[in-house]
Amino acid sequence: MSFIKRTAICKKSLFFAFYLFVFSSFAFSQQLRAGLYGSSQFPLGEVSDYYSNVVAEGVSAELSLMDNFGLLARFQFAVALPKDERILYTKQFTQSLGLWYSLNFGESGFSFEPSVEAGCMVQESNVIQQAGSLPNKLYFDLAVQVNPSIRFSHPKFLDNRVELDLSPVVTVVPQKESVLTYIGARIGLLYLFK
């Protein structure tokens, strides 16, 4: 499938998914949590020959459909730190939608909140002109992410309205000839709008 067709299909799919996300927030939402985060992921396999780390920052929004279940949207910008001297830089932009489930640990303020997300990753690399087989191209790929997150909030800190998010992160990017895998961690803060 050509790049243009794949781009058009992903844009239409993302628009439809975003519309459902926004509609459900008005129709069914009990509460909204939104925040900022930073993450660091290390590539595994063949891609680790080219990059040492992927450093990202992003914003997320989580809608509760029930007390402990809901939808989430994440927008992330990342820079892949090159290991190969032929690569000048690589930028990634990812937008994803997913589902989360929350399990509270009593009155401790801690909860376990795993989530699964899928979305589109746009990746652009800039390489030196003598790089041979490494092209200067814009890639558009599917990205799937799993986050078994630990959350913490406390009544003395803005009346339980701020949550600390700590999570291992696994990202899988299936491509035509290989599958890129990244593993790392994320830390962030979310604010609860009631």
Side-chain angles (χ1 to χ4, degrees):
M1 185 181 297
S2 74
F3 173 76
I4 294 172
K5 286 182 182 176
R6 286 173 56 195
T7 302
I9 289 170
C10 269
K11 283 182 181 177
K12 289 176 186 174
S13 300
L14 280 175
F15 177 76
F16 180 70
F18 183 74
Y19 175 76
L20 285 177
F21 184 77
V22 171
F23 174 75
S24 66
S25 70
F26 291 109
F28 305 110
S29 178
Q30 296 180 7
Q31 64 185 13
L32 167 69
R33 290 179 292 182
L36 303 170
Y37 66 90
S39 72
S40 176
Q41 294 187 72
F42 299 94
L44 301 177
E46 187 179 313
V47 75
S48 65
D49 295 338
Y50 299 99
Y51 301 104
S52 59
N53 192 4
V54 177
V55 180
E57 55 187 24
V59 296
S60 62
E62 300 175 356
L63 296 172
S64 298
L65 301 180
M66 295 184 285
D67 285 340
N68 59 353
F69 176 77
L71 302 173
L72 68 88
R74 198 178 303 280
F75 301 91
Q76 174 176 291
F77 175 77
V79 175
L81 306 177
K83 202 189 270 187
D84 190 317
E85 61 188 27
R86 297 173 297 171
I87 303 171
L88 300 174
Y89 66 83
T90 297
K91 298 183 288 188
Q92 297 174 345
F93 176 72
T94 308
Q95 29 186 353
S96 59
L97 296 172
L99 299 172
W100 59 267
Y101 176 80
S102 183
L103 178 63
N104 291 324
F105 297 129
E107 300 298 319
S108 67
F110 286 96
S111 62
F112 176 60
E113 188 173 299
S115 66
V116 177
E117 308 161 29
C120 294
M121 175 188 284
V122 179
Q123 182 169 266
E124 178 189 19
S125 292
N126 192 349
V127 299
I128 60 174
Q129 295 200 359
Q130 299 82 13
S133 64
L134 295 175
N136 281 323
K137 272 190 174 180
L138 190 67
Y139 292 95
F140 200 86
D141 294 307
L142 170 70
V144 177
Q145 195 170 87
V146 178
N147 308 282
S149 176
I150 297 291
R151 302 289 177 92
F152 177 74
S153 61
H154 196 276
K156 291 184 180 178
F157 192 63
L158 295 177
D159 195 28
N160 271 340
R161 287 190 177 247
V162 174
E163 276 188 349
L164 174 65
D165 171 27
L166 297 169
S167 179
V169 179
V170 177
T171 304
V172 177
V173 183
Q175 295 186 324
K176 189 174 184 179
E177 297 175 3
S178 63
V179 176
L180 307 180
T181 306
Y182 303 90
I183 188 165
R186 181 185 73 226
I187 184 168
L189 287 173
L190 294 109
Y191 185 79
L192 173 63
F193 299 90
K194 292 186 181 179

